[in-house]
Amino acid sequence: MRPRPSRAQIVAGLLCALLGFAAATQVRQVERADFSELRQDELIEVLDRLNSEAELLEEQNATLEGERDRLQANRNDDEAAQQAARARAEVQGILAGTLPVEGPGITLTWRDPEGQLTAPMAYLLVDELRNAGAEAISVGDVRITASSYFADDGSGHLIADGQALASPCEWRAIGDPATLQTALGIPGGVLATLRTLGGSSDVTVHESLAIDAVKRLEPLEHAAAIE
Amino acid sequence: MIALLGLLVGVAVGLATQTDVPAFLAPYLPIAVVAAIDALAGATRALLDGIFDDKVFVVSFVSNVLVAATLVFLGDQLGVGSQLSTAVIVVLGIRIFSNAASIRRKLFKA
């Protein structure tokens, strides 16, 4: 009952098939949209936008890089300053007697059974050691510093920084051992005086000697550094 | 009937095969498709009016597509490609709407 389709009908069917095919293909293409879809002027627009964006980002990049370099330089400065401060703190800690120290030095054992050792003699001994280049000195458990003092308690005992020193007591000094030994042995020195008073002393040289006694710093009440 | 069948077959083939649109066709294909849809709408209206003719449909289809593609090509050459394709789409859209309105009046008497 179906009439034979005319040629025009077949062509129309083919055209419709072509339309369907083209439409479906186009839909697929749009789904995968990329730059190949775009027209020349649209592409130029996109390019312009990307260029200005890139410029902006470049600027931002330069700014951030400068900031980074500045921060890095600051950090290097900080590190150097910190190192210097650490070295300074060490030296000052040794000088102020707040740090335990070690190095070559001598020990001096002082025997004074009759209690003849007086504060002025102890002071002289410290002086002799300092003159011979001692960088750190201790007697018994007391670290001797610039603010140390000696006193007699009236019953033949010597007091150093408030601590009574029993005989025999041991002095430690860190410095050039040979110089220190020579300085202590000079005629008319403190040790010679001690001998004439009936005491005795031994000096021992050490390659490496430790002074563990430290001084506790009291907060300063009156003096302040001038900035 | 053959036309409808062809349309369905075409869509099925287009969806099934992952065909890439050649670069030189890329700007024209969407316009061509819209033009073809316009031709289809006009043919449907003629069918309902009882004045449908196969030859007229084929000629109008092909000429619609060619004119639309040529306009876009011309626009591209003149540097007003995107504006001109918008214009073509607008005109074709209006025609599709008016044809659809006629079809609606025929089918629903409203």
Side-chain angles (χ1 to χ4, degrees), chain B:
Chain B
M1 187 58 72
I2 294 174
L4 203 62
L5 214 64
L7 196 64
L8 289 178
V9 168
V11 170
V13 170
L15 286 178
T17 64
Q18 305 258 346
T19 317
D20 272 326
V21 180
F24 70 96
L25 264 184
Y28 310 121
L29 189 62
I31 305 291
V33 168
V34 175
I37 289 171
D38 170 52
L40 210 60
T44 311
R45 178 192 177 183
L47 194 67
L48 291 175
D49 282 340
I51 53 167
F52 179 72
D53 185 81
D54 294 338
K55 277 188 198 100
V56 173
F57 170 63
V58 170
V59 170
S60 78
F61 186 104
V62 173
S63 70
N64 249 10
V65 167
L66 284 183
V67 167
T70 308
L71 268 179
V72 174
F73 171 76
L74 213 61
D76 270 347
Q77 298 305 307
L78 293 175
V80 289
S82 56
Q83 290 93 320
L84 201 51
S85 35
T86 307
V88 170
I89 294 284
V90 168
V91 170
L92 290 176
I94 291 170
R95 279 173 50 114
I96 291 169
F97 260 103
S98 68
N99 279 332
S102 302
I103 294 165
R104 186 199 66 217
R105 270 194 289 277
K106 287 278 175 236
L107 281 181
F108 306 117
K109 313 272 184 277

Side-chain angles (χ1 to χ4, degrees), chain A residues 213-226:
Chain A
V214 294
K215 187 176 182 82
R216 192 187 303 278
L217 284 184
E218 300 296 334
L220 298 176
E221 205 176 321
H222 304 290
I226 297 171

Side-chain angles (χ1 to χ4, degrees), chain A residues 175-189:
Chain A
D176 179 32
T179 314
L180 290 169
Q181 204 177 15
T182 312
L184 290 175
I186 54 166

Side-chain angles (χ1 to χ4, degrees), chain A residues 121-132:
Chain A
M121 282 175 70
Y123 174 74
L124 279 178
L125 178 60
V126 170
D127 235 16
E128 278 179 12
L129 290 170
R130 287 223 177 103
N131 286 340

Side-chain angles (χ1 to χ4, degrees), chain A residues 89-198:
Chain A
E90 199 180 307
V91 170
Q92 284 173 355
I94 291 171
L95 290 178
T98 54
L99 288 177
V101 291
E102 62 169 3
I106 59 152
T107 55
L108 163 66
T109 310
W110 178 295
R111 278 177 293 275
D112 173 35
E114 291 164 38
Q116 299 291 343
L117 177 57
T118 58
M121 282 175 70
Y123 174 74
L124 279 178
L125 178 60
V126 170
D127 235 16
E128 278 179 12
L129 290 170
R130 287 223 177 103
N131 286 340
E135 289 168 356
I137 304 169
S138 73
V139 52
D141 292 330
V142 181
R143 181 77 168 264
I144 304 301
T145 66
S147 61
S148 295
Y149 69 90
F150 293 101
D152 297 310
D153 71 347
S155 56
H157 280 106
L158 185 65
I159 291 172
D161 278 359
Q163 236 181 327
L165 299 174
S167 173
C169 64
E170 187 192 54
W171 295 73
R172 292 174 175 226
I174 287 182
D176 179 32
T179 314
L180 290 169
Q181 204 177 15
T182 312
L184 290 175
I186 54 166
V190 176
L191 295 190
T193 311
L194 177 68
R195 263 198 304 281
T196 61
L197 289 174

